[in-house]
Amino acid sequence: MPSRLGSARCAILCGAALLLPAPASSTECGDRIDLAKPLSLATVTGPDRVNFLKSGAADPGCPSLTPACRERAYLVAGNPVVVSGTSGAFACATYLGAEGATRSGWVPHAALAEAPAEAPDLDAWTGRWTSGPEQTIAIRRSGPSLTVEGDATYGAQDPDRVRRGAVNMGSYAVTIRPAGSALAFTDGQKGVIGAYDAEEFSCSARMRLLPPILVVESNSACGGMNVSFSGLYRRGD
């Protein structure tokens, strides 16, 4: 059973966080990943560059291999990507850059080699995970469960917001047992439960471990305005 380490500690400075809308059609591919849908890890195969392709929102005829659909950004052989959807012969792929920035877009499914789905052990979860300079999640083993501690800010990289004391913050600390490659929690008034609720007024998050990437989705109650734990994370050394 999950146990409570402490209520989610949030600095609610300006209201609820703003969330980007989820993709509206099967031809759209955005940076926000819906963990309610199947996800997989894949590796780009070579030898040529694999350009991202425009979505249907940018051009009704996309994605396709025509030059009009090709974007300047590209992937190279060996790049790991998270696949969050398909449209015909194309996969919606999200790449996590070295500094934490993500880039999503359609790529030919034939240019990807999907990793076999395997349930990670508890040690695969542990460590300090980061998603850019303002989001950190530390995970350690607690018997058959995991202790998960998250800290995030909004505006800490903006000197003017720092000067004005306008940096928004959020944090949580829970102990929860994962279910294979998935983990979810809601830290509510009655304690921590192992489920995600996007509409809950208490901090709630869900995660999917696709080594070497941790995919996280949080609701808007884990911190001040614009603070979010959603994103792709990479474990530090």
Side-chain angles (χ1 to χ4, degrees):
M1 294 292 293
S3 63
R4 183 185 183 91
L5 285 187
S7 298
R9 304 178 301 276
C10 304
I12 309 297
L13 303 181
C14 306
L18 300 177
L19 297 179
L20 296 175
S25 76
S26 62
T27 62
E28 292 187 38
C29 176
D31 285 335
R32 183 184 175 189
I33 296 177
D34 184 357
L35 269 72
K37 299 179 179 179
L39 302 179
S40 62
L41 183 77
T43 302
V44 177
T45 58
D48 298 325
R49 294 177 177 178
V50 178
N51 289 79
F52 284 107
L53 304 170
K54 296 177 183 177
S55 68
D59 189 319
C62 300
S64 79
L65 294 178
T66 62
C69 289
R70 190 178 303 138
E71 299 203 58
R72 295 181 64 182
Y74 61 87
L75 299 165
V76 297
N79 286 158
V81 294
V82 174
V83 176
S84 57
T86 59
S87 178
F90 303 97
C92 179
T94 301
Y95 174 69
L96 175 61
E99 301 300 322
T102 57
R103 179 62 163 86
S104 298
W106 295 105
V107 298
H109 206 284
L112 302 176
E114 290 203 31
E118 297 180 352
D121 59 25
L122 288 180
D123 288 334
W125 289 87
T126 61
R128 183 177 184 274
W129 301 80
T130 58
S131 177
E134 295 194 73
Q135 296 169 305
T136 301
I137 296 175
I139 303 177
R140 66 179 187 274
R141 291 188 62 164
S142 296
S145 301
L146 296 170
T147 294
V148 184
E149 298 179 343
D151 289 284
T153 59
Y154 177 80
Q157 301 298 304
D158 183 340
D160 181 62
R161 292 184 71 97
V162 173
R163 179 183 57 81
R164 293 185 289 111
V167 176
N168 298 347
M169 299 175 289
S171 63
Y172 57 80
V174 299
T175 295
I176 199 80
R177 182 178 294 188
S181 62
L183 180 155
F185 71 85
T186 297
D187 188 4
Q189 293 297 320
K190 297 182 180 180
V192 179
I193 62 172
Y196 175 72
D197 188 344
E199 305 301 324
E200 173 63 44
F201 290 108
S202 300
C203 180
S204 188
R206 55 185 169 186
M207 307 178 184
R208 190 79 54 80
L209 181 59
L210 303 170
I213 294 172
L214 177 66
V215 187
V216 179
E217 181 180 10
S218 72
N219 68 0
S220 61
C222 293
M225 186 175 183
N226 291 323
V227 173
S228 173
F229 287 89
S230 297
L232 270 59
Y233 289 69
R234 181 180 287 109
R235 183 164 53 184
D237 297 332

